[in-house]
Amino acid sequence: MDILITGGTGFIGRELLKLLSTHRITLVTRQPSRAKQTLAHADMGNIHYISSLDEFSDFNQFDAVINLAGEPIADKRWTAAQKSKICQSRWQLTEQLVERFHASTEAPSVFISGSAVGYYGDQQQHPFDESLQVNNSQFPHQVCARWEEIALRARSEQTRVCLLRTGIVLDPSGGALQKMLLPYKMGIGGPIGSGKQYMPWIHRQDMVKAIEFLLNTPHAQGAFNLCAPHPVTNREFSHQLAKALKRPHFLFTPKWAIRLLMGESSVLLFDSARAKPKKLTELEFTFTYSRLKPALHNLFAHTE
C-alpha cells in the first residue's frame, strides 16, 4: 500500500511504523531531518518525508491515510491558549486532509483518524461500548466530537472512515505511564482520589496491531474503542503497577491536590470510563494483552 501518515514521530506513530515496514509510507512532519533520526529504528528505506501537505492537491496516489497528529492533551494546564492549540492541531489538519479526499478522483480506500475515550466523559461505574451517544460541555468531549465530525466528512462510496477512541496507551517509554512512574519508583505511588474511577487502558503493541487490523479489514468503519476488554479501577491499576515495579502501595493522592496541580485538565484523571472494545472484538481482533497484570509484567519484566 501507499500510505500517508501524520503524527508518525509520536508515541503511537513510532511503534506503528515498525508494523508498516512492507508498505510505502509518506510521512508529514514539520522537521523531516529530525524525523529521520527519530525513526531510524523503523525506516527500512520505505519512508518518504515531507514537511507540508501543500505538496498534494489531492490523494489520488494513496491507498490509505492515517491521522495521528495533535498537541498532547495532558502535557500542560488548559489555559485558553493551550486549549486553542489542542483543538486547532487536530481540527485544522483533519480539515486539510478531508479537503484532499474530496479533491480526489480516486480517493484512498480508508481514512483512520485519531480520537479518544475522553469523548464519553464521566460514565461512573457503568460499562459501555461504541453505541453510547454522548453530548456534554466538557472540553475533552468537545475536542473529540468535532474532531470526529470533521474526519467523517471524508466518507464516500470510495472511502471508509475509522475513528480511534483511544484509552490510556501503556508503555514506559512515553505517554501517561511514563509520567506515572516516578512516584511509584520512589515508593510513594498510590490511587488518585477515591480510586474508584475506571481506567480504559491498552498495551501499545495492541494499539498499533489494532490500527493495522483496521487498515486491512475492508468492512471496518465508524468509531472503535481502542482499549483492552477488561478496564480496571484506578485503585486496581495502581496496585498492579506497584506490584509490577516491586514497590510499596499504601499512599493515595487527594483529589484537591491533583486539581490544584492540573486545574481543569484533572478531569482526565477523575472521569470514569469503563469502555469496552465491542466493535473490535466482534470483528475478531485478538488482544495479546487483554488483562492488566500480564500487560504490566511484559512492560516491566526486567525491572530490578
Side-chain angles (χ1 to χ4, degrees), residues 117 124-128 167 196-202 225 227-234 236-237 272-277 289-292:
V117 292
Q124 300 178 23
Q125 310 303 305
H126 309 296
F128 61 87
K196 294 179 181 178
Q197 64 274 30
Y198 272 86
M199 297 175 61
W201 62 273
I202 185 169
N225 289 339
C227 47
H230 303 287
V232 297
T233 63
N234 174 259
E236 176 64 15
F237 185 93
S272 181
R274 198 175 178 182
K276 297 282 190 173
Y289 302 99
S290 62
R291 294 190 180 273
L292 182 64

Side-chain angles (χ1 to χ4, degrees), residues 9-187:
T9 59
F11 176 54
I12 295 167
R14 295 194 305 270
E15 194 70 13
L16 176 63
L17 285 168
K18 293 180 188 177
L19 287 187
L20 301 181
S21 61
T22 60
H23 300 280
R24 293 176 295 277
I25 307 297
T26 298
L27 189 74
V28 185
T29 172
R30 287 190 297 264
Q31 298 176 303
S33 58
R34 186 173 177 181
K36 287 179 184 179
Q37 294 178 338
T38 302
L39 299 174
H41 69 289
D43 192 344
M44 301 292 111
N46 64 314
I47 302 177
H48 173 57
Y49 301 83
I50 63 169
S51 59
S52 172
L53 278 175
D54 292 341
E55 293 194 23
F56 305 105
S57 58
D58 59 55
F59 285 157
N60 286 334
Q61 71 188 80
F62 297 111
D63 302 302
V65 176
I66 302 174
N67 177 27
L68 302 175
E71 172 76 7
I73 197 165
D75 274 11
K76 299 176 183 177
R77 287 179 73 93
W78 288 350
T79 62
Q82 183 62 12
K83 278 185 173 182
S84 178
K85 193 172 183 180
I86 289 167
C87 292
Q88 298 311 320
S89 65
R90 289 159 172 77
W91 301 346
Q92 287 185 353
L93 177 61
T94 306
E95 284 177 342
Q96 291 172 21
L97 294 169
V98 170
E99 285 171 5
R100 286 159 177 79
F101 271 93
H102 289 168
S104 304
T105 54
E106 296 181 23
S109 62
V110 59
F111 180 33
I112 297 176
S113 191
S115 186
V117 292
Y119 171 89
Y120 298 107
D122 186 5
Q123 297 300 323
Q124 300 178 23
Q125 310 303 305
H126 309 296
F128 61 87
D129 59 37
E130 295 90 348
S131 64
L132 181 67
Q133 298 296 311
V134 177
N135 185 17
N136 69 49
S137 60
Q138 280 195 325
F139 180 63
H141 172 78
Q142 297 296 320
V143 173
C144 293
R146 186 169 176 196
W147 195 11
E148 292 185 5
E149 183 270 324
I150 295 168
L152 286 171
R153 294 178 198 163
R155 279 191 302 194
S156 69
E157 290 184 1
Q158 291 177 301
T159 305
R160 60 188 174 92
V161 176
C162 296
L163 304 169
L164 310 176
R165 290 180 180 167
T166 306
I168 298 169
V169 182
L170 300 184
D171 191 280
S173 69
L177 186 58
Q178 184 184 51
K179 295 176 182 177
M180 295 178 194
L181 290 181
L182 183 59
Y184 285 90
K185 288 181 176 179
M186 294 173 65

Side-chain angles (χ1 to χ4, degrees), residues 230-245:
H230 303 287
V232 297
T233 63
N234 174 259
R235 184 180 294 274
E236 176 64 15
F237 185 93
S238 177
H239 171 71
Q240 292 291 348
L241 179 56
K243 196 172 178 181
L245 291 168

